[in-house]
Amino acid sequence: MENKLIDQKVPFAHVLLLPVYILASILYLAWRIDTSYMWHTWYVYVFLSAEFYSILMTVLYLITSRRIMYPVWVPPLENKTVDVMIPTLNEPEHIVKMTAVGASYIKGVRHVFILDDGNRQNIREMAAKIGVKYLARNKHLHAKAGNMNFGIQYTDAEFLIFLDCDHVPQKNFLERTLGYFSDKKLAFVQTPQLFYNTDSIQFRKVVNRNYWNEQSMFYESIQPAKNSFNASFFCGSGAILRRSAIDSVGGFAIETATEDLHTSLRLHAKGWRSLFINEQLAYGLAPEDLAEFHKQRTRWGAGSIGLLFRSPDSPFVAKGLTAMQRMCYLSSASFFLNGIQKLFYFMMPIFILFSLPFNHIQTSIPVLTYLGVFLSFWGFSYFVTYIYSRGTFHPIYTEQFNIASILSSFFALKGILQIQKKFNVSTKIKVKKEKSVAYSMIIYIWVLMLVADLFGLVYWFIYKGTTVQSIFSTLIGI
């Protein structure tokens, strides 16, 4: 029997925001194309693409997130075998030990396996001391997915809990998740990935909650909304999976570095169901600084973009998916292009200002009129996104992370050229802080914007002899 879902009620006015926003988007783009784009410049097409992408992503988000759905808790199944799998590569022993010990205390678990792709003697000895099983393979093919596929060969458990080696589970993990598998077609239950190192780059102090996390919107709005369409996906950790479901798709997908998203798509295409529950059942470590954030997001982005554009399992062409499932996977995979769109927004004013002496721009639209329409539409976009996010979207902090993702988005483009299978583990705890290329790039963009602004002012006031009166006339269109 399929699990019952409860709809989180929202005011009817919020429901109306979706069609209103779609209509506003059409009118805005029509106005931009017809009257305000400078078609004699080559960069207009770049800017148009950036605006179209931004609007498309917002519309996809609003469509897929208009309803938040949570399953009704079901008492755990009895007499079921459950094992825990903990993949690791080079993480410190004390981090792996905390997770393994925590997994051992989960009520109802039979065995805990440490899958050590680093073949480390100290991890082997630690596993023996705390009474968990240790597995290490000789050939390290297909990164994390290969390690997990290797591990499940050594268990006949009906259900498997997968934990990243820095995610410590709560002892009631099975009590809160196992009952949902009374639905024979349920492949997995995913829980939110929560983090206890609140001094990391991903956290900000906010007024209406203890901490705002960069992933709050995903786990509190996007994932539960995907329950509506049977499209919530496996996130690689903090999940329990049905073994027969994994076997039905040939194990975890090894063709991309995002084996969690890829495997989820295959399961959904095969007719399996999934659930996301918003319960705090495991706590882990978030990337500590911008360098590690960049490394993690590059991996996610390259894998997702490769899945989208190069894989035969792409949501564009995969058989067996519903229309809404395709839309959900399209939205999630294409999200990692967001940094590129932001860079275009920042670079266009810089390019325009520096090209003033060579390409005088003529437009019949008064500056104040243009700014009024532009800022009103984008302000409305932020407002609608905030409403649909149930308060998890933070306009300032979200934009900070969009900017921080610029470099990783560009690096992720290699997923278009070649499927990314290599798995680079981010270092969650560092003894010494290191300078980040991503951080330097943000500083460079900021400096370029400042120099371009100064150049524009000097050009208009000195070389063009512009006066305050002529500037005012331009602003109001006289």
Side-chain angles (χ1 to χ4, degrees):
M1 180 182 294
E2 192 171 347
N3 288 285
K4 181 180 179 182
L5 299 174
I6 298 178
D7 193 351
Q8 187 183 74
K9 300 298 182 182
V10 295
F12 184 68
H14 292 182
V15 179
L16 292 178
L17 286 175
L18 175 57
V20 171
Y21 181 78
I22 292 176
L23 177 61
S25 300
I26 294 172
L27 294 176
Y28 172 78
L29 283 175
W31 174 78
R32 291 286 278 140
I33 292 171
D34 183 55
T35 61
S36 63
Y37 275 127
M38 295 167 287
W39 295 105
H40 61 285
T41 60
W42 67 266
Y43 49 78
V44 66
Y45 299 101
V46 176
F47 197 66
L48 175 61
S49 298
E51 285 203 285
F52 181 79
Y53 169 84
S54 181
I55 292 172
L56 175 63
M57 291 300 295
T58 302
V59 170
L60 286 175
Y61 169 70
L62 297 180
I63 291 175
T64 57
S65 300
R66 66 186 186 274
R67 297 174 66 196
I68 296 290
M69 305 289 284
Y70 291 112
V72 177
W73 179 74
V74 181
L77 301 176
E78 297 181 355
N79 302 318
K80 300 296 181 182
T81 53
V82 183
D83 288 344
V84 179
M85 299 285 166
I86 305 172
T88 180
L89 176 60
N90 57 11
E91 295 82 359
E93 178 183 332
H94 70 280
I95 295 294
V96 181
K97 183 178 180 180
M98 282 196 301
T99 300
V101 170
S104 300
Y105 279 95
I106 298 176
K107 294 179 180 179
V109 160
R110 184 182 62 173
H111 299 304
V112 175
F113 290 85
I114 294 178
L115 312 178
D116 183 19
D117 237 7
N119 297 76
R120 294 164 292 174
Q121 183 61 29
N122 64 315
I123 301 297
R124 182 188 298 272
E125 294 172 357
M126 177 269 290
K129 287 179 182 179
I130 64 176
V132 303
K133 296 183 178 296
Y134 176 89
L135 293 174
R137 54 185 181 150
N138 295 322
K139 295 182 179 180
H140 308 284
L141 301 175
H142 311 304
K144 182 181 178 181
N147 194 15
M148 294 193 296
N149 286 333
F150 168 78
I152 63 177
Q153 298 178 57
Y154 292 86
T155 175
D156 60 355
E158 299 167 85
F159 299 95
L160 299 169
I161 297 173
F162 278 88
L163 298 167
D164 281 349
C165 67
D166 55 13
H167 276 70
V168 182
Q170 304 298 295
K171 64 181 180 180
N172 64 337
F173 194 99
L174 283 180
E175 178 185 342
R176 304 305 301 175
T177 59
L178 191 57
Y180 298 113
F181 289 95
S182 56
D183 175 2
K184 302 298 183 183
K185 291 298 294 180
L186 181 65
F188 62 87
V189 175
Q190 177 67 55
T191 69
Q193 292 191 14
L194 306 171
F195 307 99
Y196 58 83
N197 57 331
T198 53
D199 59 344
S200 73
I201 186 176
Q202 286 190 197
F203 285 86
R204 298 290 186 275
K205 263 286 189 181
V206 292
V207 176
N208 60 338
R209 54 199 294 160
N210 290 333
Y211 286 98
W212 179 88
N213 174 13
E214 186 266 341
Q215 296 189 51
S216 294
M217 186 172 172
F218 176 72
Y219 284 112
E220 296 180 35
S221 173
I222 296 174
Q223 274 281 63
K226 291 178 186 291
N227 281 337
S228 304
F229 315 111
N230 184 32
S232 60
F233 60 82
F234 173 45
C235 298
S237 180
I240 176 171
L241 296 88
R242 189 189 298 269
R243 172 60 183 272
S244 59
I246 302 173
D247 291 341
S248 73
V249 293
F252 294 99
I254 61 174
E255 292 82 4
T256 60
T258 46
E259 79 292 327
D260 42 14
L261 180 68
H262 197 163
T263 303
S264 301
L265 190 151
R266 286 181 174 175
L267 288 167
H268 285 133
K270 198 83 171 179
W272 290 97
R273 287 192 281 268
S274 64
L275 275 181
F276 173 82
I277 62 171
N278 193 24
E279 295 196 42
Q280 302 175 1
L281 297 177
Y283 292 85
L285 287 170
E288 190 169 286
D289 57 22
L290 186 58
E292 296 308 317
F293 178 85
H294 163 72
K295 185 188 299 183
Q296 182 189 72
R297 299 312 160 95
T298 298
R299 182 179 74 246
W300 292 357
S304 297
I305 292 171
L307 174 63
L308 191 64
F309 292 109
R310 292 191 62 86
S311 173
D313 293 318
S314 169
F316 287 122
V317 298
K319 296 180 180 179
L321 297 176
T322 67
M324 288 307 301
Q325 285 175 330
R326 292 184 195 279
M327 190 174 295
C328 288
Y329 278 107
L330 174 62
S331 177
S332 295
S334 57
F335 166 78
F336 292 96
L337 295 170
N338 189 56
I340 297 173
Q341 176 253 341
K342 294 298 177 183
L343 181 61
F344 287 159
Y345 273 163
F346 287 118
M347 294 304 292
M348 281 302 106
I350 295 172
F351 182 85
I352 291 171
L353 286 170
F354 278 130
S355 64
L356 285 174
F358 313 103
N359 184 24
H360 184 63
I361 298 170
Q362 298 289 340
T363 176
S364 60
I365 304 295
V367 175
L368 287 182
T369 300
Y370 170 79
L371 289 177
V373 176
F374 179 84
L375 295 178
S376 295
F377 175 75
W378 290 107
F380 182 52
S381 299
Y382 280 117
F383 170 74
V384 175
T385 301
Y386 179 82
I387 294 297
Y388 271 64
S389 75
R390 283 72 177 174
T392 58
F393 171 79
H394 194 290
I396 296 176
Y397 295 149
T398 300
E399 285 303 319
Q400 286 182 359
F401 282 98
N402 286 336
I403 295 171
S405 299
I406 287 175
L407 190 61
S408 60
S409 289
F410 264 96
F411 276 53
L413 287 179
K414 60 188 178 183
I416 296 178
L417 304 176
Q418 181 180 6
I419 291 288
Q420 299 300 303
K421 300 179 181 181
K422 186 177 180 180
F423 188 93
N424 295 315
V425 178
S426 56
T427 305
K428 301 297 177 61
I429 295 181
K430 293 184 175 181
V431 176
K432 181 181 179 181
K433 299 288 185 180
E434 62 183 42
K435 292 184 178 180
S436 167
V437 175
Y439 178 80
S440 300
M441 182 179 179
I442 293 172
I443 298 299
Y444 296 152
I445 293 174
W446 181 83
V447 171
L448 272 175
M449 292 179 70
L450 179 62
V451 172
D453 289 339
L454 292 175
F455 179 85
L457 289 173
V458 170
Y459 174 77
W460 283 108
F461 279 101
I462 297 179
Y463 290 97
K464 300 296 292 185
T466 303
T467 63
V468 174
Q469 181 179 359
S470 64
I471 292 175
F472 182 74
S473 299
T474 301
L475 290 174
I476 63 176
I478 297 178

